[in-house]
Amino acid sequence: MTDHLLQLHGDVLAAMRRGPRNFAKLAFVLAEDEEPADTDQGGFRDRVTAAGAGDELTALWHRTLTGWDLAEQADWSTAAPRTDERRADAYDRLGFDTTLRKVLDHAVPVFREPGPTIISTTPTWWYSRDTAAVRSFYWSAYEQLLRRKGWSDAAVAGLDEASHAVVERLADPTRPDAYGARGLVVGYVQSGKTANFTGVTAKAIDAGYRLVIVLGGTLNLLRGQTQRRLDMELIGQENILRGADPADPEALIGVDYQDDEDWPEKFVSHQGRPSVLGAFDIERLTTRDDDYKSLATGIRALEFDKQIRTQPLYAPDNLHRAAARVMVVKKNKSVLSKLIKDLKKIGGPLLSEIPTLIIDDESDQASVNTTDPKKWEEGKVTRTAINGQISQLLGLLPRAQYVGYTATPFANVFVDPGDGDDIFPRDFLISLPRPTGYMGVQDFHDLDRTDESAVGNAERAHVRGIYDDAHGDRLAEALDAFILTGALKLYRASHDPSLESHFRHHTMLVHESVRMAEHAALALRISSVWHQAAYTGPEGHARLEALFTSDFQPFADDGLPTPASYGELRPYVSRARQLINSGGTPVLVVNGDTERDYDQPDLDFDRTPNVWKILVGGTKLSRGFTVEGLTVTYYRRRTQQADTLMQMGRWFGFRPGYRDLVRLYIGRAEPAGRTRTVDLYEAFEAICRDEETFRAQLSRYATLVDGKPQVTPAQIPPLVSQHLSWLKPSARNKMFNAELVEIRSPGEWVEPTAYPTAPADLRHNVEVWRPVLDLLGADSVTLRRDAIAGGDSFEAQIGTLGHEELLKVLCDLRWSVPSEFSPHLESLLSAGEGGEGIDDWLVILPRQTSSRRVEASVLGSVPLSLAHRSRRRGDLFGAIGEPKHREAALRIARANRAEGLSGDKAPESFARERRGVVVLYPVVEEKPPTVSPAGDIAPEHLVMAFGLVAPRSSTATQKNLVRFRTVDSTRKDSAIIERGAGVS
């Protein structure tokens, strides 16, 4: 039956290409009836008021109003996007009355969720919202599927906006001159990146891209998961069947998914072959079980039918009628070699006409060139296998757009921007917003707490240590939590059947080591503890009741069914135990180097009705592998790379209906060498801070000036941070192109050693420091190394210098190796960003009291005590500062009025909350130094060395902060910090 109201509204809104217009007038013009029945909007208002989930008319208006809400530039409104004022302008132009406005606002609230952060100067004019609406066959089908799956309007609108932002930054597929954009999309771990690139693929093929190559992981299991998602949610039943009769068993021979529990009900249906419905078909060049082998029908598989044979494929009349080809291939040298070989057979003329989209899932894995540039032959780039093959693909397909996807982008932004054949995101870098309902690092860490020693709400609710004083190792408790949360899921499903689909799988992850031999031993240990737990006996129930009362009831979500007592939950424990024990064992070991190691029926989340298991493994249970239903994690594995550690965080993700049940048991003092231990919980918090700093950099660069973007990723590569000294942003072989640009060390001694050797530079530095010497008091003071009476002490002249004045001095100094001090200088220049800043500096000039001391004046200064030091490595000195000077400086810089320093009044009187300390060392290399009879020394013979301690107020966090940026090989001579002496 025809939905006339939907048809009328669709026609009217389609006519509003340039923004909202008077609805009633357009409806009157476009309606087939002489007197359209709904010009007063009464039927529309009633329809929206009574609409349930899935109503197409409401969905149509949701897309339209949200699109107007989000438009960054709207000729028809001066109001900012995502505001009530913007929505009111739309209603005014539509001519809607107050009652209808209220109904629509209730059905389609103003979209206020943060959008993606975008760094790009790529023109976006070719892919407007109106253009996207005209050709939206596959996107519309995908959108409707997401709504049927239960996605909220806000979630669908957010995905629409984010995927649109990617597609509009690709090259126009119909442009005469070929251009291949390079971009990177940064999400969160297990936050729905696959949904985003499925949306991008849908919109891109609707827009005209006719070959899509998805690089889907390094294992066939992961590749198959991606293929299935695309087949289920985008490609659809009709394109999979390709005309085969679904009721004819013989016709289905060789068609995949016949053994899939979700086929065909959960696979999108286009209600007929798309080419028959006025759209175009999608031909798959890979299947769920078969990776790319060779073009099944030879070169003909990439021959496109042209309506006008004298025009190229990218001509609009040809492009929008041609079928699209999609393949999902794993990042494997053999597989990619076959693909490249076949493409070479096809030849350049045809390939140069095909608008192509290459999506690289987990683009920081295998895709990045990890060879050392220092070992390359002169003038020649040496590439790793997969990186070289991706570069070849981009070269063979001039119209190929490369879009990398990752949650850990550091390795990608360290790619050389000057290497035109590599995958640096030169055209755009997009940071996706944190999705609604996502459970990420911020949900396990209380980043805003002011008392570092206190346990915050997030930690109290979800995080547990590996040991406690009462019970030792808490692995048994973690197993209790696993069966208890399983029982709670069964209880909730019985009281609210809508939750049942969320509890299909229930898993626990145990990740201690990368060694496979240890996995087997750990699995045996877990099985032993499990079978001795007596979950059906009085002892087991007593233990579970105590855990439920102490650890789950206090944190239960009031909006979800939760038993008032363990007595109500007890009947569900037996069923949970039964599901976990199914197949004869509660434990599955997941590791190995081959595909066969993954070939376990119980591990197939797609084909197995219920996976309720304890998974033991290492690396193979990290990147790209989604552990469905993960509720309890027991984690103890160390790594020294932030991106690797973050990918281990499988406990991040969407946890609908059981978010409050998630528990993380994590090592707080894991051995790291013979004497040191590391806190893995602290490490994840540091990664979170690194990530937020990175995203803040993106936001800074993304700000538009006069409606135009400021920079591209290549012009100012984002700075990458490091909050823990032992946790590097990425692996060493992915950081050959990284340049240390900033080190923040509040409360730590910093001692540069790369002083110049040229006489003119030495004189220049003395001249720069000379005015500071006049600020020192004539009388000496006594400073002690520590607060102990009678302890080591020294005489010194002191004075104070404003922070801006010190910056002028430091910025004007010359160095033999500028990069040695420039990261510290950068931190002083940016002091106060997020912190309280620095007011001034106490300048200390130690004086020797030995009878063998040598003193001299320089450029008319007061006599200075000269210190003899030697260069140890090239131009670099060895140690310059003396321990007693360093300790005194640290005491002063770290002190504040609240702490006080008993027994030593001098340092206490010098300390200020926002004051740093500089210790000056007039250094000579000759022994004895060349001093004139008048007691002068030439500035060309003097090295003005120093050490300093910045106050804690110079940065918001008390942890060290390191930042890196990318080296551009085409700009090797660029200064690391381009600031002169005129700092104001």
Side-chain angles (χ1 to χ4, degrees):
M1 182 177 177
T2 304
D3 188 337
H4 293 288
L5 190 59
L6 175 64
Q7 188 174 34
L8 173 63
H9 281 237
D11 291 341
V12 173
L13 292 177
M16 297 185 189
R17 298 288 173 80
R18 300 181 182 276
R21 295 163 58 189
N22 188 279
F23 187 92
K25 290 180 180 179
L26 273 177
F28 187 84
V29 172
L30 296 173
E32 296 179 1
D33 301 332
E34 291 186 8
E35 294 290 336
D38 196 40
T39 54
D40 66 350
Q41 308 304 316
F44 175 36
R45 183 182 60 246
D46 295 342
R47 169 84 171 261
V48 174
T49 301
D55 178 67
E56 291 188 43
L57 181 61
T58 304
L60 172 65
W61 274 95
H62 191 283
R63 288 195 299 272
T64 304
L65 290 173
T66 301
W68 291 334
D69 289 344
L70 298 176
E72 288 295 332
Q73 295 179 332
D75 296 336
W76 49 270
S77 174
T78 58
R82 291 177 164 83
T83 61
D84 293 330
E85 292 75 17
R86 170 68 68 82
R87 177 66 68 86
D89 285 348
Y91 288 150
D92 288 343
R93 291 178 63 88
L94 289 166
F96 286 174
D97 61 30
T98 303
T99 304
L100 180 55
R101 295 182 188 208
K102 290 181 179 178
V103 169
L104 282 172
D105 281 343
H106 179 75
V108 188
V110 174
F111 190 83
R112 304 181 194 278
E113 298 294 324
T117 300
I118 302 167
I119 300 179
S120 174
T121 56
T122 307
T124 61
W125 56 265
W126 76 272
Y127 190 70
S128 66
R129 282 283 173 182
D130 294 334
T131 304
V134 171
R135 303 186 186 279
S136 60
F137 181 87
Y138 284 99
W139 166 255
S140 295
Y142 181 47
E143 180 187 32
Q144 291 169 16
L145 176 80
L146 295 178
R147 293 185 186 280
R148 289 196 299 273
K149 289 176 65 176
W151 279 48
S152 67
D153 289 339
V156 172
L159 177 63
D160 183 11
E161 181 189 19
S163 54
H164 185 95
V166 176
V167 176
E168 69 179 346
R169 282 166 178 80
L170 307 179
D172 181 351
T174 65
R175 64 183 285 170
D177 56 318
Y179 182 77
R182 306 284 184 269
L184 179 67
V185 179
V186 181
Y188 292 83
V189 172
Q190 298 197 132
S191 65
K193 295 187 298 298
T194 304
N196 183 275
F197 73 66
T198 301
V200 167
T201 303
K203 288 174 178 282
I205 61 176
D206 280 337
Y209 282 89
R210 287 300 174 261
L211 175 61
V212 178
I213 303 172
V214 179
L215 304 176
T218 58
L219 290 168
N220 205 47
L221 175 71
L222 306 181
R223 188 210 68 82
Q225 284 181 347
T226 302
Q227 178 84 50
R228 183 178 182 273
R229 282 282 297 275
L230 289 173
D231 286 344
M232 175 185 283
E233 300 180 348
L234 171 66
I235 294 172
Q237 299 176 35
E238 293 80 8
N239 286 319
I240 293 172
L241 291 171
R242 300 192 65 180
D245 183 356
D248 183 356
E250 292 188 5
L252 297 177
I253 296 175
V255 178
D256 44 1
Y257 300 116
Q258 301 310 302
D259 61 343
D260 194 298
E261 184 171 300
D262 292 331
W263 174 270
E265 288 78 12
K266 293 186 179 180
F267 282 67
V268 67
S269 173
H270 303 296
Q271 306 302 313
R273 289 292 294 272
S275 54
V276 176
L277 298 175
F280 55 91
D281 297 336
I282 297 177
E283 297 180 12
R284 299 184 304 154
L285 301 182
T286 55
T287 67
R288 179 192 66 185
D289 299 318
D290 292 324
D291 198 347
Y292 185 88
K293 295 178 179 177
S294 63
L295 292 178
T297 55
I299 295 176
R300 291 184 57 193
L302 282 180
E303 287 184 352
F304 292 82
D305 293 329
K306 298 180 182 179
Q307 293 292 314
I308 305 175
R309 303 194 66 81
T310 57
Q311 292 188 8
L313 175 64
Y314 55 80
D317 289 339
N318 285 332
L319 194 62
H320 296 301
R321 291 181 172 86
R325 273 73 165 178
V326 174
M327 65 177 81
V328 182
V329 300
K330 66 175 174 283
K331 286 186 266 191
N332 174 278
K333 182 180 179 181
S334 175
V335 173
L336 292 177
S337 293
K338 294 172 185 175
L339 174 58
I340 291 169
K341 181 179 178 181
D342 282 347
L343 290 176
K344 286 181 176 178
K345 289 179 183 178
I346 294 172
L350 177 58
L351 295 182
S352 67
E353 296 184 8
I354 305 175
T356 302
L357 173 62
I358 298 177
I359 290 177
D360 188 353
D361 192 16
E362 304 293 351
S363 60
D364 61 320
Q365 182 188 34
S367 303
V368 175
N369 188 12
T370 56
T371 61
D372 188 346
K374 295 178 182 178
K375 298 180 181 178
W376 294 350
E377 294 180 24
E378 185 68 29
K380 182 180 179 182
V381 177
T382 302
R383 300 190 185 280
T384 46
I386 303 301
N387 177 263
Q389 290 173 318
I390 293 174
S391 179
Q392 281 186 275
L393 282 175
L394 295 172
L396 288 168
L397 297 158
R399 294 178 179 274
Q401 319 294 305
Y402 173 89
V403 183
Y405 276 80
T406 183
T408 47
F410 299 154
N412 290 89
V413 299
F414 285 148
V415 173
D416 180 5
D419 184 351
D421 296 325
D422 213 333
I423 60 174
F424 182 84
R426 66 187 181 210
D427 295 287
F428 62 89
L429 200 162
I430 296 177
S431 173
L432 299 177
R434 176 185 162 102
T436 302
Y438 174 71
M439 195 172 188
V441 177
Q442 294 91 333
D443 297 285
F444 294 88
H445 298 267
D446 299 276
L447 301 178
D448 296 330
R449 69 183 186 276
T450 55
D451 184 354
E452 294 286 332
S453 64
V455 176
N457 293 333
E459 182 178 353
R460 188 179 297 109
H462 299 292
V463 181
R464 308 291 176 262
I466 294 296
Y467 296 98
D468 69 14
D469 295 336
H471 305 95
D473 189 343
R474 299 173 74 174
L475 177 61
E477 180 188 312
L479 296 177
D480 288 350
F482 179 53
I483 192 171
L484 194 61
T485 52
L488 283 164
K489 288 182 180 181
L490 294 174
Y491 175 90
R492 288 180 174 177
S494 70
H495 287 74
D496 183 356
S498 67
L499 295 172
E500 188 171 355
S501 62
H502 299 311
F503 303 152
R504 174 181 168 186
H505 306 302
H506 177 60
T507 52
M508 174 179 174
L509 173 62
V510 181
H511 193 157
E512 283 195 353
S513 167
V514 69
R515 298 183 179 89
M516 290 190 290
E518 294 182 12
H519 296 162
L522 180 57
L524 287 174
R525 178 185 164 208
I526 292 171
S527 292
S528 176
V529 174
W530 175 268
H531 291 299
Q532 294 176 26
Y535 288 124
T536 57
E539 181 183 341
H541 282 299
R543 201 171 60 250
L544 293 178
E545 180 175 12
L547 186 62
F548 172 73
T549 303
S550 65
D551 201 24
F552 285 91
Q553 266 191 325
F555 307 108
D557 186 335
D558 294 337
L560 293 168
T562 302
S565 66
Y566 181 75
E568 294 180 43
L569 182 64
R570 180 168 177 161
Y572 298 91
V573 172
S574 178
R575 175 58 179 160
R577 178 176 174 273
Q578 183 183 16
L579 285 168
I580 296 168
N581 277 330
S582 64
T585 177
V587 185
L588 286 178
V589 177
V590 184
N591 58 23
D593 300 317
T594 67
E595 298 288 349
R596 187 169 58 252
D597 295 308
Y598 280 94
D599 191 16
Q600 304 178 51
D602 289 338
L603 190 61
D604 194 326
F605 293 109
D606 296 328
R607 304 187 213 187
T608 306
N610 301 101
V611 177
W612 283 49
K613 292 295 172 193
I614 302 163
L615 305 180
V616 176
T619 304
K620 298 298 188 286
L621 280 176
S622 57
R623 181 186 294 274
F625 188 89
T626 301
V627 182
E628 300 284 356
L630 182 61
T631 310
V632 178
T633 302
Y634 184 89
Y635 184 84
R636 299 186 61 184
R637 180 180 165 190
R638 284 189 307 107
T639 179
Q640 294 184 349
Q641 292 84 44
D643 50 6
T644 303
L645 187 63
M646 181 61 95
Q647 290 288 352
M648 303 287 180
R650 297 293 97 187
W651 49 90
F652 306 134
F654 297 93
R655 305 286 180 252
Y658 63 102
R659 186 188 187 100
D660 57 327
L661 307 182
V662 172
R663 294 294 181 272
L664 169 62
Y665 290 81
I666 190 167
R668 304 301 302 263
E670 294 300 307
R674 294 182 179 179
T675 59
R676 191 168 64 93
T677 62
V678 296
D679 184 338
L680 294 175
Y681 180 69
E682 179 190 49
F684 272 100
E685 181 169 316
I687 297 173
C688 181
R689 295 187 186 279
D690 293 343
E691 182 182 277
E692 291 307 309
T693 302
F694 179 78
R695 291 177 186 272
Q697 290 287 337
L698 299 188
S699 296
R700 179 187 301 177
Y701 299 146
T703 304
L704 299 178
V705 176
D706 296 329
K708 297 180 181 180
Q710 302 176 67
V711 296
T712 66
Q715 288 172 316
I716 303 184
L719 299 181
V720 175
S721 304
Q722 178 186 328
H723 278 78
L724 288 181
S725 60
W726 60 270
L727 194 62
K728 301 294 184 184
S730 192
R732 179 179 174 273
N733 63 359
K734 295 180 181 178
M735 293 183 65
F736 289 130
N737 213 44
E739 173 181 78
L740 183 62
V741 73
E742 181 175 5
I743 303 175
R744 291 186 184 180
S745 307
E748 302 295 332
W749 175 261
V750 174
E751 183 177 281
T753 59
Y755 294 96
T757 57
D761 292 339
L762 292 173
R763 168 178 276 274
H764 172 84
N765 285 357
V766 172
E767 290 172 346
V768 169
W769 280 109
R770 179 64 186 80
V772 178
L773 299 178
D774 289 338
L775 300 176
L776 302 177
D779 298 328
S780 297
V781 299
T782 302
L783 297 176
R784 290 194 180 92
R785 176 175 184 167
D786 50 45
I788 301 173
D792 203 0
S793 63
F794 63 95
E795 298 294 309
Q797 292 173 269
I798 63 172
T800 56
L801 181 68
H803 181 58
E804 297 301 324
E805 284 69 31
L806 179 65
L807 288 182
K808 292 176 183 179
V809 171
L810 298 180
C811 286
D812 202 18
L813 294 176
R814 296 175 183 174
W815 304 89
S816 62
V817 184
S819 60
E820 198 234 16
F821 182 62
S822 60
H824 300 285
L825 176 58
E826 177 67 26
S827 73
L828 297 176
L829 288 163
S830 61
E833 292 182 3
E836 298 176 13
I838 304 174
D839 288 342
D840 58 20
W841 295 78
L842 182 72
V843 182
I844 299 176
L845 178 67
R847 299 195 64 177
Q848 302 293 334
T849 55
S850 166
S851 59
R852 293 179 296 173
R853 68 183 182 276
V854 177
E855 294 187 341
S857 298
V858 62
L859 299 179
S861 72
V862 297
L864 310 175
S865 291
L866 306 182
H868 179 264
R869 301 289 187 269
S870 301
R871 300 183 192 256
R872 302 294 187 186
R873 293 181 293 116
D875 293 340
L876 302 183
F877 282 91
I880 288 182
E882 295 185 24
K884 59 185 177 183
H885 304 157
R886 182 168 59 246
E887 293 301 322
L890 288 169
R891 289 185 62 214
I892 296 170
R894 290 174 177 176
N896 60 45
R897 295 188 183 97
E899 291 173 347
L901 294 172
S902 61
D904 191 359
K905 297 299 182 183
E908 186 178 62
S909 64
F910 301 139
R912 300 290 185 275
E913 291 182 1
R914 291 187 295 274
R915 170 174 287 178
V917 179
V918 179
V919 182
L920 290 180
Y921 292 97
V923 167
V924 291
E925 300 178 67
E926 299 171 316
K927 198 172 185 180
T930 305
V931 178
S932 72
D936 296 323
I937 186 169
E940 291 83 359
H941 293 163
L942 193 66
V943 177
M944 287 299 293
F946 65 92
L948 59 82
V949 184
R952 290 170 176 170
S953 62
S954 61
T955 184
T957 175
Q958 294 184 9
K959 298 184 177 68
N960 290 353
L961 172 64
V962 176
R963 291 198 287 177
F964 299 87
R965 71 179 173 195
T966 307
V967 176
D968 185 339
S969 63
T970 63
R971 303 171 65 198
K972 289 183 177 178
D973 296 330
S974 297
I976 296 176
I977 296 178
E978 298 174 357
R979 291 185 174 94
V983 177
S984 60

